[in-house]
């Protein structure tokens, strides 16, 4: 079965040309990431804009991101924050975090963004110990093996009604294969298992194609009351 089509990227280009336009700060971010040897696994430009608009539409004051990489999606999310909002983003690799810090600064978002360096579980524990923050939006785009654990932390740290978004939940369709040779599939499937009949969270997942090939986002909302 064909699992990529060059038209998917062409359509992404069309979307960017008409709906988003030039973005020198993000171009610089991607160039800096490439120069520093970071993997090119950021969300696409169109997906990043979706994150920005979601944040703006819920008037997000506090956003948590798990998996900073070079800061591309953090810049998108920070742009969507309310005027006095804050983004906390978690990154395992100190060298990636340093590249991200510069990119975020260069994009004019430095004042809104705090990067916590180290294994995400440790940082999440710290956030919980601090009494949590009432996160309005949590974006998870990190090691897939821990997706179910990240869901647990996100639910504890998010306010009722908060939105949770997980990247890469389709994996070229691999998610439905319990015997997949993609090592990231079992962790992704654990997320779905955890959300099956979940008492406090309503969820869906949307498959996507584009410059990131065939993948998808899982979106969940923590129930109120
Ligand atoms: C991978 C990770 C991502 O977050 C992504 O969007 C695409 C690929 C990966 O680890 O291969
Ligand atoms: Mg991703």
């Amino acid at each position: 079965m064909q699992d990529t089509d060059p038209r998917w990227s062409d359509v992404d280009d069309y979307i960017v040309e008409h709906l988003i336009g030039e973005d020198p700060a993000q171009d610089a971010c991607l160039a800096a990431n490439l120069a520093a040897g970071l993997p090119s696994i950021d969300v696409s430009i169109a997906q990043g804009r979706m994150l920005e608009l979601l944040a703006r539409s819920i008037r997000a004051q506090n956003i948590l991101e798990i998996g900073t990489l070079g800061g591309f999606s953090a810049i998108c999310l920070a742009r969507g924050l309310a005027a006095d909002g804050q983004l906390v983003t978690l990154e395992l690799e100190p060298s990636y975090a340093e590249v991200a810090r510069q990119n975020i600064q260069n994009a004019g978002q430095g004042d809104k963004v705090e990067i916590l360096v180290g294994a995400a579980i440790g940082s999440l524990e710290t956030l919980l110990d601090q009494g949590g923050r009432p996160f309005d939006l949590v974006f998870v785009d990190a090691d897939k093996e821990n997706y179910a654990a990240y869901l647990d932390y996100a639910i504890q740290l998010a306010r009722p009604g908060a939105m949770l978004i997980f990247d890469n939940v389709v994996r070229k369709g691999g998610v439905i294969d319990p015997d997949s040779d993609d090592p990231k599939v079992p962790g992704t499937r654990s997320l779905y298992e955890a959300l099956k009949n979940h008492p406090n969270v309503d969820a869906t997942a949307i498959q996507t194609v584009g410059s990131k090939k065939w993948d998808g986002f899982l979106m969940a909302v923590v129930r109120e009351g």
Side-chain angles (χ1 to χ4, degrees):
M1 215 278 293
Q2 165 191 314
D3 63 17
T4 187
D5 182 325
R7 290 176 298 178
W8 296 348
S9 273
D10 294 343
V11 172
D12 257 1
D13 291 345
Y14 181 87
I15 290 167
V16 171
E17 183 190 337
H18 288 81
L19 305 181
I20 302 177
E22 301 288 316
D23 193 340
Q26 287 293 45
D27 291 347
C29 170
L30 294 179
N33 294 353
L34 208 57
L38 274 59
S40 297
I41 53 172
D42 319 82
V43 296
S44 71
I45 296 168
Q47 291 170 344
R49 173 58 74 90
M50 184 194 75
L51 295 173
E52 175 187 342
L53 296 182
L54 281 171
R56 199 193 305 165
S57 68
I58 64 168
R59 297 182 165 81
Q61 292 277 350
N62 287 287
I63 301 177
L64 172 63
E65 178 181 60
I66 306 178
T68 316
L69 193 65
F72 184 90
S73 49
I75 290 168
C76 298
L77 290 164
R79 287 171 171 171
L81 277 167
D84 53 349
Q86 287 287 318
L87 166 72
V88 179
T89 181
L90 315 184
E91 177 51 48
L92 173 65
E93 280 290 332
S95 62
Y96 294 6
E98 182 51 30
V99 173
R101 194 190 60 73
Q102 290 180 26
N103 286 333
I104 292 164
Q105 192 73 33
N106 182 52
Q109 303 298 324
D111 293 348
K112 298 184 192 170
V113 180
E114 182 182 4
I115 308 177
L116 303 182
V117 182
I121 300 279
S123 297
L124 292 162
E125 285 288 339
T126 303
L127 289 169
L128 272 181
D129 288 347
Q130 292 170 352
R133 297 192 197 182
F135 290 107
D136 306 296
L137 174 60
V138 181
F139 176 55
V140 183
D141 192 11
D143 51 315
K144 315 309 170 197
E145 293 79 359
N146 279 317
Y147 264 27
Y150 296 150
L151 172 70
D152 277 346
Y153 283 104
I155 292 169
Q156 291 178 74
L157 289 164
R159 68 162 168 80
M163 180 179 292
L164 318 177
I165 300 173
F166 292 77
D167 194 23
N168 311 115
V169 298
V170 174
R171 313 203 66 85
K172 296 181 179 168
V175 68
I176 62 170
D177 179 5
D179 305 315
S180 170
D181 53 15
D182 177 349
K184 292 165 184 164
V185 163
T188 308
R189 287 172 62 86
S190 304
L191 174 67
Y192 284 86
E193 293 300 328
L195 285 166
K196 194 171 181 178
N197 301 318
H198 196 287
N200 308 117
V201 178
D202 297 308
T204 189
I206 295 296
Q207 303 184 64
T208 55
V209 296
S211 59
K212 297 225 43 192
K213 312 278 171 56
W214 178 22
D215 213 326
F217 290 105
L218 188 145
M219 178 182 290
V221 171
V222 182
R223 283 195 198 143
E224 303 195 52

